[in-house]
């Protein structure tokens, strides 16, 4: 192999390592059997959620994962592999891919990484079932507002009772 080819592969490994290290979550899928239209649609959905999907050679992914300190992904890097990196939202790639896989039976989740920890298919699927970040924030907001709302109702009730007495 020429030195130029080796240098190019090393650059690809470094880029993939940087993506693994920067990602909040990574979902690894087998896209074999998807049509071009389905892959394009999936990429568009992921891109809209600020998730980057790439097809990278398994040997490069394997080396990059080892450099990033992620052990146990070698068995995942077999066959046609696409990988979705999300730097912001931990839930987004799992949710989008899991939802897409319900219609496109050929798409298969192989594994992933959640916040720097290698995760199984079951953990990725469980993550996909969680509400989105916005949904979780609205739930938190309603929980925080409940005590204030209850105090306001109590004060209003006391004020109304005082008006009745007067």
């Amino acid at each position: 192999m020429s030195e130029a080819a080796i240098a190019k592969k090393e650059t690809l490994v470094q880029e993939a390592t940087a993506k693994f290290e920067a990602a909040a979550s990574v979902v690894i899928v087998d896209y074999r059997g998807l049509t071009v239209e389905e892959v394009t649609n999936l990429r568009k959905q992921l891109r809209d959620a600020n998730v980057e999907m790439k097809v990278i050679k398994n040997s490069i992914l394997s080396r990059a994962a080892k450099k990033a300190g992620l052990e146990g992904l070698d068995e995942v890097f077999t066959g046609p592999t696409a990988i979705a990196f999300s730097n912001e939202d931990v839930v987004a790639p799992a949710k989008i891919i899991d939802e897409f896989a319900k219609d496109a039976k050929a798409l298969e989740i192989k594994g992933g990484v959640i916040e720097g920890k290698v995760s199984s298919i079951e953990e990725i699927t469980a993550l996909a079932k969680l509400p989105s970040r916005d949904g979780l924030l609205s739930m938190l907001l309603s929980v925080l507002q409940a005590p204030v709302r209850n105090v306001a109702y109590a004060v209003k009730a006391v004020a109304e009772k005082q008006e009745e007495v007067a």
Side-chain angles (χ1 to χ4, degrees), residues 58-136:
N58 289 328
S59 60
I60 290 173
L61 286 173
S62 181
R63 282 193 241 151
K66 281 187 179 116
K67 274 190 166 183
L70 302 170
E71 299 296 325
L73 285 174
D74 284 340
E75 64 272 0
V76 174
F77 297 134
T78 57
T81 302
I83 189 162
F85 297 97
S86 175
N87 294 344
E88 299 166 6
D89 191 354
V90 176
V91 179
K95 184 175 281 302
I96 292 168
I97 290 171
D98 188 59
E99 193 64 35
F100 193 86
K102 290 178 183 171
D103 294 330
K105 300 294 183 199
L107 185 67
E108 177 187 333
I109 297 174
K110 294 161 92 175
V113 178
I114 301 170
E115 294 182 335
K117 179 183 166 280
V118 175
S119 304
S120 66
I121 297 168
E122 293 79 21
E123 291 170 321
I124 300 291
T125 307
L127 181 66
K129 306 277 185 261
L130 289 176
S132 67
R133 182 178 189 276
D134 292 336
L136 288 171

Side-chain angles (χ1 to χ4, degrees), residues 138-152:
S138 73
M139 285 181 201
L140 176 63
L141 182 60
S142 67
V143 166
L144 293 174
Q145 284 179 336
V148 175
R149 191 177 324 117
N150 291 342
V151 168

